[in-house]
Amino acid sequence: MTASTPNTEKPVILSCAQPSGMLTLGNYLGAVRNWSEMLEKSECFFGIVDLHAITTPSQPAKLRQNVYECVAQYIASGLDPEKCHQFVQSHVIGHTELAWILTCITPIGELQRMTQFKDKAAKLGFKSSDDPEDIKFTHAGARAQASINAGLLCYPVLMAADILLYNADLVPVGEDQRQHLELCRDLAQKFNHQYSETFTIPKPYMPKTGSRIMSLADPTKKMSKSDENERASLYILDKPDQIKKKISSAVTDSGSDIKADENKPGVTNLLGIHSALSNKTVEELEEHFSGKGYGVLKNELTELISESLKPVREKYDDLIKDKKYLKSVLRQGAETAQKRAYKILGKVYRKVGFPERDRG
Ligand code: TYM
């Protein structure tokens, strides 16, 4: 089979990332690395979701460049374009169309309850009480509310559309997407109930280790692409000296024991990263580091990360020079994705009651 011939016998896998900056170690361990292990037994679609990326401020030229950098990082991380379909969300008609239909069956309260919406809105100065029916605005919040776009609120509906448009069976994501996945499943069930069986109910897949990598500067916060603190996030293309700097300045905890413990979020995070890369259990690592200091853990981890990411970095450096190739991967990916998307969108339009267009 070539990547452009969809094989509908295999389970369908879909996942995506936003082209809102370089991929972090969190994106890699929580998502992209696991995608590359699923290529053989599944029909895989991996999106670069530029429509999602404009829900937060973005510069047009930077966004365009980020898309190519993202596909180059996908391929460098092991997503062989011969074995999966990689596409840009805005290249495929159907994502926004299906999102609109799903928006019409989504209660606003569900969207206001989403943790990621609340976090992003809070960054803009908007505060709400826990009860979505009882949003109280602070003075600053009321002003900030004017700058919270509806796209940020509807973000999870577009994400549900991304998944349901391909009738995906499995969606491999990090822990932070769990709530969005639940909403997607609810919407699929609701649509099926209202209009008859249409969508597959997708299952989330989260890896045992690496599904929640925390910030190196504040280990109570998720590691994120857009953190302003440059020591907070490790990027998969970071050079060994950058990795060394970031790991050596990573926040650790009081005491000197190397143990995973809820009162030691910094050390727990470093052990989690080690475990995800070395395939050793946290218990094995605790034993290995027993009686040793944080410096030993940090040196070993720096070495491990640098070595693990070296092939990704080297492959990326070659790929990013070949825009023609990257464009051809995205063209083929979009062609295959579009075929599948049209099929499902057509079915949805009929179920909803949209009349067929008369083609003369
Ligand atoms: P994004 O771009 O924030 O992240 C891409 C993937 O990386 C995972 N991830 C993490 N995993 C572990 N630790 C972390 N610190 C960490 N940070 C990010 C995310 O869980 C995700 O799997 N909403 C999605 C993009 C999206 C999508 C979809 C995903 C749009 N449509 C359809 C799946 C299916 C997002 O913002 O990902």
Side-chain angles (χ1 to χ4, degrees):
M1 185 196 77
T2 66
S4 57
T5 22
N7 179 342
T8 42
E9 301 295 300
K10 291 177 171 181
V12 173
I13 289 190
L14 176 132
S15 205
C16 307
Q18 292 191 71
S20 50
M22 288 293 173
L23 295 181
T24 67
L25 190 63
N27 298 135
Y28 181 72
L29 295 177
V32 184
R33 184 182 72 157
N34 310 306
W35 305 350
S36 69
E37 286 163 12
M38 299 176 163
L39 306 183
E40 302 298 337
K41 295 196 184 123
S42 321
E43 173 86 11
C44 294
F45 293 87
F46 299 118
I48 298 173
V49 289
D50 49 355
L51 298 169
H52 278 102
I54 60 164
T55 56
T56 49
S58 68
Q59 284 175 9
K62 185 75 190 121
L63 177 59
R64 217 176 336 264
Q65 180 59 19
N66 281 349
V67 169
Y68 295 112
E69 289 174 358
C70 186
V71 68
Q73 288 173 88
Y74 276 4
I75 302 169
S77 301
L79 302 184
D80 180 350
E82 295 295 316
K83 297 182 178 162
C84 61
H85 318 292
Q86 300 176 41
F87 65 94
V88 181
Q89 187 186 31
S90 66
H91 288 177
V92 180
I93 297 167
H95 290 257
T96 46
E97 285 78 0
L98 181 56
W100 176 252
I101 293 168
L102 296 175
T103 303
C104 296
I105 59 164
T106 307
I108 294 182
E110 289 292 314
L111 299 177
Q112 287 170 330
R113 235 191 299 278
M114 292 287 131
T115 315
Q116 282 210 344
F117 169 69
K118 289 200 277 186
D119 287 352
K120 286 181 185 171
K123 274 193 193 151
L124 292 166
F126 167 91
K127 287 201 183 110
S128 71
S129 76
D130 280 344
D131 181 353
E133 305 302 329
D134 177 31
I135 296 172
K136 294 194 182 86
F137 303 106
T138 61
H139 203 62
R143 250 181 291 123
Q145 191 210 9
S147 66
I148 293 170
N149 63 75
L152 203 58
L153 184 69
C154 295
Y155 180 111
V157 188
L158 179 58
M159 178 165 161
D162 297 338
I163 298 167
L164 301 181
L165 190 59
Y166 299 88
N167 259 343
D169 296 287
L170 200 66
V171 186
V173 282
E175 184 61 45
D176 61 331
Q177 300 300 318
R178 187 183 287 279
Q179 205 184 22
H180 289 164
L181 252 292
E182 271 161 24
L183 178 76
C184 173
R185 287 166 58 85
D186 288 349
L187 292 178
Q189 266 152 355
K190 193 166 178 184
F191 187 97
N192 286 354
H193 185 70
Q194 205 161 315
Y195 295 106
S196 85
E197 213 54 37
T198 308
F199 295 123
T200 304
I201 311 298
K203 289 198 182 75
Y205 169 85
M206 279 147 211
K208 283 201 185 76
T209 51
S211 71
R212 192 165 173 79
I213 302 296
M214 309 307 278
S215 152
L216 298 175
D218 176 359
T220 60
K221 254 177 45 187
K222 185 189 76 163
M223 183 181 284
S224 132
K225 284 187 211 105
S226 52
D227 204 311
E228 278 161 18
N229 181 343
E230 53 180 37
R231 296 271 169 115
S233 305
L234 257 174
Y235 298 96
I236 63 171
L237 302 176
D238 277 350
K239 305 227 158 49
D241 57 326
Q242 291 168 300
I243 297 173
K244 187 165 187 223
K245 248 191 229 156
K246 290 181 185 181
I247 293 293
S248 56
S249 68
V251 167
T252 40
D253 316 280
S254 54
S256 57
D257 280 357
I258 299 183
K259 278 211 161 311
D261 184 302
E262 60 180 45
N263 297 317
K264 285 180 154 266
V267 172
T268 305
N269 189 34
L270 298 184
L271 285 172
I273 296 173
H274 194 310
S275 168
L277 288 171
S278 64
N279 281 328
K280 292 189 178 130
T281 64
V282 169
E283 292 72 29
E284 283 168 340
L285 293 173
E286 285 173 342
E287 203 175 312
H288 170 71
F289 288 112
S290 162
K292 297 177 184 151
Y294 291 158
V296 178
L297 168 64
K298 286 183 167 182
N299 285 341
E300 199 175 294
L301 189 57
T302 300
E303 191 70 14
L304 180 63
I305 298 172
S306 299
E307 277 308 300
S308 309
L309 295 179
K310 191 172 167 208
V312 177
R313 229 169 24 238
E314 287 175 352
K315 194 148 187 219
Y316 175 87
D317 288 343
D318 286 339
L319 284 162
I320 200 62
K321 292 180 205 138
D322 196 351
K323 216 169 194 178
K324 203 168 151 206
Y325 170 68
L326 298 175
K327 282 186 175 176
S328 77
V329 168
L330 293 174
R331 187 180 57 241
Q332 275 180 28
E335 274 168 21
T336 313
Q338 187 66 78
K339 279 187 205 140
R340 194 169 171 90
Y342 270 147
K343 229 165 122 181
I344 293 162
L345 188 67
K347 197 170 168 188
V348 171
Y349 276 14
R350 280 195 300 281
K351 300 258 180 148
V352 171
F354 296 162
E356 216 171 304
R357 185 168 140 202
D358 186 7
R359 292 179 195 274

